[in-house]
Amino acid sequence: MTQYSTAPERAQQLAEEAIKLLKQAKALQHQAHVDAARVQAYQQHSDGLAFQFLAACAEYGEHSPQAGKAREHWLGARNAIKAQFPRTSI
């Protein structure tokens, strides 16, 4: 650790470090909220469509028009959720 000639210099450094840590904590908290919202959106809007796709595959075959349409709906919902709640690198 660097030596400081005065207590005010040390206090200034500590204040700057505290501000930096606070900004990092706020960014992490924001991303946690976004992640939780993304999970909830998947559960509400995408998971059911995934089951419909799997059911269509089982009933009509993976390459059937019914399965293709179900797959498009499912992946469209997933892409919309990803766009609404993007992941960020912190």
Side-chain angles (χ1 to χ4, degrees):
M1 182 176 253
T2 307
Q3 292 292 332
Y4 297 92
S5 58
T6 64
E9 289 176 358
R10 180 67 179 137
Q12 178 66 31
Q13 161 114 35
L14 290 173
E16 290 170 1
E17 289 176 17
I19 290 169
K20 180 181 175 184
L21 290 172
L22 182 61
K23 287 179 182 179
Q24 289 175 347
K26 285 183 178 185
L28 289 170
Q29 182 182 33
H30 172 73
Q31 189 58 48
H33 287 291
V34 170
D35 291 345
R38 182 185 317 105
V39 167
Q40 183 177 11
Y42 281 137
Q43 290 172 348
Q44 290 178 346
H45 305 291
S46 174
D47 290 354
L49 296 173
F51 289 122
Q52 289 177 8
F53 166 65
L54 293 173
C57 287
E59 186 171 348
Y60 303 108
E62 185 176 348
H63 301 290
S64 68
Q66 295 89 340
K69 188 174 181 178
R71 184 177 191 271
E72 287 176 24
H73 285 116
W74 169 47
L75 294 179
R78 286 183 54 85
N79 288 335
I81 292 166
K82 288 177 183 180
Q84 185 177 4
F85 304 106
R87 291 188 185 266
T88 60
S89 58
I90 298 176

